[in-house]
Structures are given as C-alpha cells and as structure tokens.
Amino acid sequence: MSESPLDSRGFLLSASLLRDKVASFESYPFNLPAVRPLETLPLHRSVTFIVGENGSGKSTLLEGLAVALGFNAEGGSRNFNFATRASHSELGRHLRIARSHRRPRTSFFLRAESFYNVATEIERLSQDGPSLLDAYGGTSLHEQSHGESFLALVLNRFGPEGLYLLDEPEAALSPARQLTLLARMHQLVQQGSQFIIATHSPILMAYPDAIILGLGENGLSPVRYEDTEHYLLTRQFLNNPQGIMRQLFE
C-alpha cells in the first residue's frame, strides 16, 4: 500500500506497562500471559492485531488500553459513561500511552461481549433526538441481527481519521461479512484511520498493511501471518477435514 502524509504515523505509537507501579505479578490481571512479561506494546500506524489463545489476556489488554485512552470499559465512544457491571481490571491505570502529534477526529471501542449494552445505551440516548441514531444507520441496532448491527456500526459510525479498538469483531460476522469488514477497514486506513484489534480470525489477520502480535513464551511479539497458529490450523483443516476429524474422534 502506498503511504501518504495523512497516514504516515498513527495516533498511538506504543503502550508501556508501568511495571514499578504493579503491586504483584501474581494477581489478576498482571498474572495473565499477555500482561505479565509486558514492557512496551508497539502499535502499527494502520492496523495492529493482538492474537493469542482463549484466556491469554488479549481482550483484557485491549480493554486496559481502551480505559487508559478514556473509553468506557464496556465499549462505545469516549462520551459513553454507562456501566452495566463494573468488571474491568485495573490494568488501564498502569499503562502509559505514547502518542504522535496527530489526533483522531473520531474514535470507538467495540467489544463483542458487551455490544448489546452499547446498543441499549445508543437507543436510550437517541430518545432525546434522532441525530445520534442517524449516525448508526438510522435503525435501532436491537432491530437488526448481531452481525447486521456490527456492520451498521462500522459502515455508518466509523469515519476517516478515526481510532478504532475492536475486540473479537468476527464473533458476530460470517466469513463473507468479515470480508466486508476488511474492505471497510482498508477504506478507512486509506483515509488516515488506525485500528487495534484482538482477534481469532485468520480472515481478518490477512490484512496486508498490519502487524500481528502473537502471544508466545515471552509475551507478545511480531509474527508472520503464515506462522500464526490460526492460519496453520485453518489451512491444515481445510486441506484435509476428514483426516483431521478422524484424528479428533479416535
């Protein structure tokens, strides 16, 4: 992808864990594999993927980053301040964010597990007038399927020069809709946006202008797309589904 002055640097450069402020690395969330060895998390100017096994702490890390940036822990924009259940960790208070001179025109934190709560808050706020709902496509997100509401958000609410944190956005999307998301991401990246995404999806990870940070023995480090476990297992299964299932069912 050709680089323009608009997207030559992302809004966020890195996030560092203030290790000297951590009381104990034996307690949650600092004992998580994605957090315990963390020193500095490098962030790509366009798209950063954070990948790891279930329970590794990638979503907790993304949540901590979002909270450190001033987002509501359950998702939404920085203007959302509702709390259905205060369950977020204290990680955000232990992160230092390195920023560039650029500032986003808009921003959003999308997490699959609490998107219902965000949609409810959008609907509540829109009762004061139609303008807010219009920004999300004009139709209540509760009156659409989970996948449709996700896409309505991305296609209507996300705009140029935006900062977007997405936690497992593939959870509600079919493979075809994941391709739609990739196309929209590419359009927004060309318009100067930056994405930080925690995901399991080998489809999303294929985005070419990105860095993939995979969880290994020493924490998160860059990994080639073709070397991710997600790609290798998916390719192995698709090449020989019957053979893989025979091994599983023995």
Side-chain angles (χ1 to χ4, degrees), residues 25-42:
F25 282 93
E26 302 303 321
S27 59
Y28 178 85
F30 305 104
N31 60 347
L32 293 170
V35 179
R36 184 167 187 158
L38 180 64
E39 293 189 4
T40 299
L41 182 74

Side-chain angles (χ1 to χ4, degrees), residues 74-91:
E74 293 188 48
S77 72
R78 290 190 180 92
N79 296 324
F80 284 44
N81 57 14
F82 72 96
T84 305
R85 180 173 181 264
S87 60
H88 62 281
S89 75
E90 60 177 303
L91 178 60

